[in-house]
Amino acid sequence: MYKLMLVEDEAIVRESMIHNIDWERYGFTMACACENGREALERMGSVLPDVVVTDICMPFVDGLELARHLQEHYPSIFVVILTGFSEFSYAQQAIKLRVHDFILKPVVPREFCAILEKLSADLDSRNSKRSNLRSLQSRAYQAETILRSALFRTILRTQPTADQVRRSAEEAGLQLNCAVYGAVFCQPQGHLEAATQSQHLQDAAQSVATRFPHCTAAVVEDVYPVLLVGGRSDEEVTSRCRDAAVMLSDAVARLTGAPAATGIGSCCTGPGGLHRTFREAHHALGYAFTQPQRLLVDHLCRAAERSVTEADPLPSTQPLRQALADGNGDEATRRMQALFDELRRRKLHRDSCLPLLERLRFLLTDLIPADGASAAPVLSPTEQWLTLDQAERELSQLTAFLLRSARTSEDEDPARLCVERAMGLIQQNYHDSAFSLTELLSLLNVSKSYFSSAFKARTGQTFTEYLTAVRMEKAKLLLATSNLRTQEIADRIGFTDPHYFSVAFKRTVGKTPREYREERR
């Protein structure tokens, strides 16, 4: 139904038209009836009719003033003028205001209904054209989106010439006229439905791109939201890239419910340098594997990375293998933790970590007993590990399984198993501020007195002391390898009160978090 506003100062005429016309038959509903033009103007914004039928001669604001206002502020509203023979000169003025139709007074219902029928048809035709136009615009946008994604992938994976980039960009509706460009790549760590993932990521990237001049969004390989940012100088583009990267990270994180890292490439001059900035931005994402940061600038990450060399190798996996063979859970856990801590400390790229993790994976899976294969934890494919935390979690679970499986029923020590399981659970849950002795006892299904005695005998510490020590070691690592604020570190290791964390850290380590960080930098 279309909405109609009737503006008529003569009550008899107004009421007669309201009650004697079958509005719905012609596709209309009477939205409101006004006594004069002033009332119509006051109600126009809230009613927003499709058609206004108005008399010409009225007090306060006449029909011509009303039509003039509608032409200026609501040009899509159809206006029909009610006029008498004596008002023909007014009607001539109305023609200049491009009113849709006229009807002579006194109003003949048959003639007015014919006008309503024509109005309804005209509105249908206009809306159909608008719908077709929107459909064409939508298809054009989808085609441009596909072409831009293909262009960005070509720039990333090949090394096209400047002329090739310009031609492909023009086909995708882009004019690469800026002096300087930079690229921002994003890597979601959460998961979306595969069927809609690309479109959702495109919408998130586009919502950011519209906030910056000379900024284009696309999704590469259905996985990476990408922004191409242009400007007049390196300083301008660098600033825009950083701001856009933060917004893109936030937008994708809201979409997936998980953190999203962004990589930034260095600035380039003209289309010919886009391959380099794309490659750098994509490469920077690999540093998110070991660094809990959402903004990664490739050349800064490369400078901070401590590469693995023959003179400075990673810790050997042989002691870990020996500890597993001996059934020494404490030593195996320590060796495993030291290995992952070293990867984080070096701030290694994912490509540098995966070969070692693949060897570690092979070492552990090779120790799974034949009769225990069905019960062993299932590891994700190595290439699907998005963070070092994920790899550590899965490999630690497999290590714990191997230690349990290595013991025969004759030499199993229930107290030892209880303590080792408790230590594993603490490692898995130390970041949870609500994790408590009560929850641990429930998971272990043992009494408080039994656990406290066994744990103290095995570790020399109480539950609280051990949990605090684990948290402090994690805090020391984050202080040394990240730029996270003290409050963020406290939250990541299970402290709800940053002040209490600082006090506990000083009491345990002998230095404040700031002093410790400055000493390690």
Side-chain angles (χ1 to χ4, degrees), residues 30-65:
M30 177 59 68
C32 71
C34 303
E35 295 183 6
N36 53 66
R38 185 173 66 184
E39 182 186 353
L41 289 177
E42 291 172 350
R43 302 181 65 180
M44 194 65 63
S46 60
V47 175
L48 290 177
D50 299 290
V51 175
V52 171
V53 178
T54 180
D55 192 7
I56 286 186
C57 290
M58 295 180 295
F60 308 117
V61 175
D62 64 25
L64 293 181
E65 289 182 71

Side-chain angles (χ1 to χ4, degrees), residues 175-292:
Q175 295 295 326
L176 301 179
N177 297 325
C178 291
V180 180
Y181 286 98
V184 176
F185 271 63
C186 182
Q187 177 176 281
Q189 293 181 6
H191 297 283
L192 294 167
E193 290 292 331
T196 58
Q197 172 174 289
S198 181
Q199 185 59 54
H200 285 316
L201 294 176
Q202 173 67 37
D203 292 344
Q206 186 61 35
S207 70
V208 176
T210 56
R211 303 180 67 174
F212 295 90
H214 311 296
C215 186
T216 304
V219 176
V220 174
E221 297 172 348
D222 296 329
V223 176
Y224 303 108
V226 178
L227 298 175
L228 174 60
V229 182
R232 294 166 295 182
S233 65
D234 287 9
E235 293 76 12
E236 183 178 67
V237 171
T238 297
S239 176
R240 285 179 184 171
C241 282
R242 285 180 175 272
D243 292 342
V246 171
M247 292 182 188
L248 182 59
S249 174
D250 289 342
V252 174
R254 286 194 299 271
L255 185 65
T256 64
T262 51
I264 301 177
S266 56
C267 295
C268 69
T269 303
L274 292 182
H275 173 72
R276 177 171 57 82
T277 188
F278 270 52
R279 289 290 298 231
E280 289 180 2
H282 181 260
H283 181 266
L285 293 176
Y287 290 105
F289 193 71
T290 55
Q291 300 179 46

Side-chain angles (χ1 to χ4, degrees), residues 9 198 239 308 390 448:
D9 62 326
S198 181
S239 176
V308 178
Q390 180 186 357
K448 181 178 180 180

